[in-house]
Amino acid sequence: MQNQSPIGIFDSGFGGLSVARAVRALLPGEDICYAADCGYAPWGDRSDEYINRRVDRIVNFLLAQNVKALVIACNTATAVTAKRLRETWPFPIIGIEPAVMPAEKETRSRKVGVLATTKTLSSGKYHLLCERTADDLTIINCPCPGLMDCVEAGEMNTPKTLALLRHYIDPLTAEGVDTLVLGCTHYPFLSEAILRVAGPNVSLIDPAPAVAKQLKRRLYETGLLNNRKAGGTEAFYATDANPAREKVLRTLWGPEADLQSIPSDD
Ligand code: DGL
């Protein structure tokens, strides 16, 4: 593996692009290979067995693209698979988890809402994270089925999406929450709509920049950092790639993005 090899980034769908864009901003010389499991998403309400199987499929695809490191750009997959992947593979593997600690620093009302998938919020990893917070902090967990589908459909600001956001967020603001943790990588793409619903005084916490920093640190420590200062490329792949999905990719990333297929495994 060489420092010119690409960084592999994956998610159940296009949510992980919120992490990929932070990686692109911090590491402009690195090549990125992004894999989305659109054909088998969402992952957030599925069994551990299902998520492990899908993650292995996507990781094997990325390894075949000769990636030098992996970013699990998915809170759900990190909760379920990060430990096992790190025990299996020798290269840097960076995960993401709900940014409860940064939210604890930010909140003035001492009430924090965490928007994430059912799977992330019920995981042992997340419970351990919450146990490390101060006793006076109230954390209100809010599983948000259906929200990632809005992003996958390219519906970031439609009446349907706003109605779903109101359904999830109104009870949190009514409780006095002043800080919302975006605990699923799809949700940063809904930031504008979330602020419309929650009001301008609520802070949103997105851990993507911290994940990019951690990736840079690990690449440096392992001698895998690409010395190029600019000119990194991006390749985007998905299961069940089709023109509608490519259109959403272009809305989220930019008009120059092309979507290629991950071959089907069934
Ligand atoms: N984007 C993913 C996460 O961060 C999960 C979305 C899903 O597949 O349910 O958890």
Side-chain angles (χ1 to χ4, degrees):
M1 225 164 282
Q2 301 199 328
N3 59 1
Q4 287 91 346
S5 298
I7 295 162
I9 304 181
F10 72 93
D11 180 30
S12 60
F14 292 133
L17 294 171
S18 65
V19 178
R21 70 182 172 189
V23 170
R24 169 52 66 239
L26 188 68
L27 299 167
E30 296 283 352
D31 292 339
I32 291 174
C33 185
Y34 185 90
D37 199 24
C38 300
Y40 298 82
W43 290 347
D45 302 291
R46 308 301 293 255
S47 66
D48 285 14
E49 193 268 328
Y50 182 91
I51 296 165
N52 274 300
R53 188 156 33 89
R54 290 314 309 163
V55 166
D56 283 348
R57 171 76 188 98
I58 297 298
V59 167
N60 286 335
F61 172 79
L62 286 170
L63 292 179
Q65 313 310 306
N66 193 34
V67 298
K68 63 183 176 185
L70 277 179
V71 179
I72 311 173
C74 175
N75 294 263
T76 308
T78 300
V80 177
T81 69
K83 187 168 178 287
R84 181 178 60 82
L85 291 178
R86 289 192 182 113
E87 285 163 3
T88 308
W89 302 106
F91 45 78
I93 298 180
I94 314 302
I96 188 165
E97 59 187 11
V100 174
M101 297 296 175
E104 180 173 13
K105 287 201 188 108
E106 177 77 18
T107 178
R108 285 147 284 122
S109 68
R110 306 302 292 156
K111 287 186 179 162
V112 164
V114 181
L115 311 176
T117 67
T118 314
K119 186 53 122 188
T120 297
L121 295 175
S122 63
S123 69
K125 201 170 187 300
Y126 176 69
H127 287 285
L128 284 177
L129 184 67
C130 292
E131 275 170 20
R132 299 201 332 249
T133 58
D135 289 344
D136 73 329
L137 185 77
T138 303
I139 299 173
I140 307 181
N141 295 326
C142 182
C144 301
L147 222 47
M148 75 80 83
D149 307 88
C150 298
V151 176
E152 292 295 311
E155 293 182 9
M156 267 66 78
N157 239 318
T158 62
K160 191 180 135 221
T161 301
L162 286 165
L164 194 57
L165 284 172
R166 260 182 230 113
H167 170 71
Y168 289 134
I169 293 172
D170 284 354
L172 301 177
T173 44
E175 285 288 330
V177 160
D178 70 351
T179 306
L180 288 173
V181 174
L182 305 180
C184 167
T185 54
H186 282 78
Y187 304 163
F189 291 113
L190 299 170
S191 291
E192 203 187 307
I194 292 173
L195 286 176
R196 266 176 80 183
V197 169
N201 297 327
V202 168
S203 304
L204 306 185
I205 312 282
D206 172 13
V211 171
K213 269 193 205 154
Q214 171 68 358
L215 170 66
K216 185 175 181 181
R217 204 173 303 131
R218 295 284 292 122
L219 290 177
Y220 177 75
E221 285 167 4
T222 49
L224 289 170
L225 200 60
N226 191 327
N227 293 324
R228 254 189 334 197
K229 292 283 169 274
T233 61
E234 298 103 29
F236 301 97
Y237 298 89
T239 47
D240 192 29
N242 58 42
R245 296 200 197 284
E246 186 173 65
K247 191 163 171 247
V248 175
L249 166 68
R250 289 178 177 168
T251 307
L252 300 176
W253 188 267
E256 72 291 351
D258 291 326
L259 190 60
Q260 303 175 65
S261 277
I262 297 175
S264 164
D265 52 341
D266 359 85

